[in-house]
Amino acid sequence: MAMQSPHSHFQFLSLPREIRDLIYTSLLTSSTPLPSSLGSLTKTTTIFPFWQLDTRFIHIPPNISPNAQGLLASNTQIRSELKDKFSRPGLRCSLKYHLDCMIVRDSELFPSWRCIPAPVTYMSDHLFQIDVRSIGGGSTEPKASGSGRQWMTSSFKVLELIEEFFNRGPTFRRVSKIREDVQVDTVLVNVVKPDGLSEEEPWERPKRRRTARLPDGSLHPFSMYEMLVGHVPTFKRTLQGRAKRLRIAYDDHVSEHIIEKL
């Protein structure tokens, strides 16, 4: 049997198209693990303070390359097959930008990418999902004045982060002019419920106080959910021309009455 040259390459295009399609799907939908702790994220320079005199910051997420970037540049036939995959209805439902966002001590946002399937030019008909998680450290005691505005700041910052994604693209780096090519079909803001919290559906129980907090001092996730729902008019103005739909969810459960067509 003839020995294979150590410099030979695997003939990817010799595989049946059905097998190549399975590989494309696996590549486009693969995601990085959820950050296990704040220390697992690389601290980078901040984008900017939310308000002029505010000490709260949004950090730039660690940069990752789009999953399909290499294959899109490798071969004309492969690029054509990948473009075909983007337009298939079955994949359009599962293909998404996926951003995790940890809110630490109600003062800083640490976003990190879980999945960027492809460059922005291929993603205009797909989903942008941001998972919002609150980590403790905030005070568990109500404050006498100004507390409502302070606690609502974090939800405004989530809106600010989404706006910066559309203005700057997935890298969040500064640009000389606002980008106009970043568009998606749907924006989904999903507030993540910590392990061990009640399994009750949030819209089937009485509303909580907007200042409700967990024992570790973090804002109760349903309180964050309520605040985000209250910002729907602002979301619609911000996302005009950038997305067709807005959905706000609590632990992946979408309340139908707050699905907004932009």
Side-chain angles (χ1 to χ4, degrees), residues 56 101-108 132-142 150-152 154 191-195 197 208-225 227 250:
R56 304 170 181 217
C101 180
M102 290 195 293
I103 302 178
V104 182
R105 298 182 298 275
D106 295 340
S107 61
E108 293 182 273
V132 179
R133 298 185 292 139
S134 182
I135 295 179
S139 172
T140 58
E141 298 296 328
Q150 178 179 359
W151 278 321
M152 289 186 68
S154 296
V191 181
V192 179
K193 178 178 64 179
D195 294 337
L197 212 57
R208 296 176 178 272
R209 293 187 305 116
R210 289 205 169 186
T211 57
R213 289 186 174 272
L214 300 178
D216 67 355
S218 61
L219 186 68
H220 193 287
F222 191 66
S223 296
M224 172 64 74
Y225 168 82
M227 291 177 187
Y250 177 80

Side-chain angles (χ1 to χ4, degrees), residues 242-254:
R242 298 297 188 93
K244 299 175 184 176
R245 297 172 183 84
L246 166 67
R247 296 180 179 182
I248 303 176
Y250 177 80
D251 204 43
D252 291 321
H253 299 287
V254 180

Side-chain angles (χ1 to χ4, degrees), residues 28-35 61-62 64-67 93-102 110-118 123 126-133 161-162 165 170 172 184 186-192 251-252:
L28 292 171
T29 59
S30 64
S31 61
T32 59
L34 189 69
I64 66 171
S65 299
N67 293 357
C93 297
S94 58
L95 202 60
K96 61 185 177 183
Y97 293 109
H98 194 179
L99 185 68
D100 180 76
C101 180
M102 290 195 293
F110 285 87
S112 61
W113 282 111
R114 299 204 62 195
C115 183
I116 303 177
M123 295 293 294
H126 298 89
L127 172 71
F128 171 44
Q129 176 176 333
I130 175 170
D131 291 337
V132 179
R133 298 185 292 139
L161 178 65
I162 293 172
F165 163 75
F172 287 90
V184 297
T186 302
V187 173
L188 169 61
V189 185
N190 179 44
V191 181
V192 179
D251 204 43
D252 291 321

